[in-house]
Amino acid sequence: MITLNGSHINHHSFLLTGIPGMPEKNSWMAFPLGLLYTLTLLGNGTILSIIKMDSSLHEPMYYFLSILALTDVGLCVSTLPTMLSIFWFNAAEIPFDNCVTQMFFIHVFGIMESGVLVSMAFDRFVAIRDPLHYASILTSEVIGKIGVAVLARAICVVFPVPFLIKRLPFCHSNVLSHSYCLHQDIMRLACASTRVNSLYGLIVVIFTLGLDVLIILFSYVLILKTVLGIASWSERLKAFNTCLSHICALLLLYIPFIGATMIHRFGKHLSPIVHTLMANVYLLLPPVLNPIIYSIKTKQIRKRIVQVFFRKNDRA
């Protein structure tokens, strides 16, 4: 669509990028990418099924884990269509509205993931600080309200972003630098001032992810203070061991996010492959590894998985 003065072009579609500078190598990624998505869906689906089937796992910690698994599935499904279309079918074009919709859901589930990890930090704090009243404080109703609040916050802060993008005229290339749509990636193709978009994006990062990190750090300061107040070393280790899975999930989310953000801001001189790799790690790694970490580090889930597979082998 061309404006009256003929100087601006609003693209009807964008072109997504597979491996920058090496489109002929896209097919090499087809099998590894398919495997990652299969592991993500299988791993999180297994976690959800086991928690649903085993009544002994109907506890606050596992309810929060279920919300995390659902969020990971949502993030996976948000990126899957375009990534598979590029690497499997070499179809790079995506309509503008579809791109904006995908961008919305990717950012919503990304912010949700951070919010769920904050909720899980609060869960660990209550479990260690007041174990006798743990179940009575974090009832199913309270956990449901927390889940709704996490979802509502993510939707509310991301809701203006599609409108901020749609108001921009585009006259530069319509080639995006990733295999999915992100706000900052679409924004850079605009030929008008993107100051409002940049400012809003910065505010969202500071008051969601930044605030979440501070709350989590504060929670762990209180947890550490409580653990150090326990007389027995064995009890201290046992209490802190219940936080290891959550700490690993935190590192999986925030380290790639910080790395991708730093490279985006200060790594303009780096190869486009580095930018693509960091962005893909940020979105793909947590959904794949979270269920593996919780399966390995959580005795009840590990035991249940072993029981399920042994029963299947016995029947076979």
Side-chain angles (χ1 to χ4, degrees), residues 18 20 83 177-180 182 184 251-265 267 270-286:
M83 293 192 77
S177 58
H178 301 303
S179 48
Y180 44 81
L182 295 175
Q184 60 268 33
L251 296 177
L252 278 175
L253 177 67
Y254 290 118
I255 289 179
F257 171 76
I258 293 171
T261 302
M262 296 297 289
I263 286 176
H264 175 73
R265 296 285 181 184
L270 296 175
S271 167
I273 294 179
V274 176
H275 290 263
T276 300
L277 179 63
M278 286 302 301
N280 287 339
V281 165
Y282 162 59
L283 286 180
L284 295 178
L285 205 61

Side-chain angles (χ1 to χ4, degrees), residues 21 27 35 106 136 177 180 197 205 221 244 249 282 300:
S27 58
L35 180 61
I106 287 176
S136 60
S177 58
Y180 44 81
N197 294 64
V205 169
V221 168
L244 287 180
Y282 162 59
Q300 292 87 336

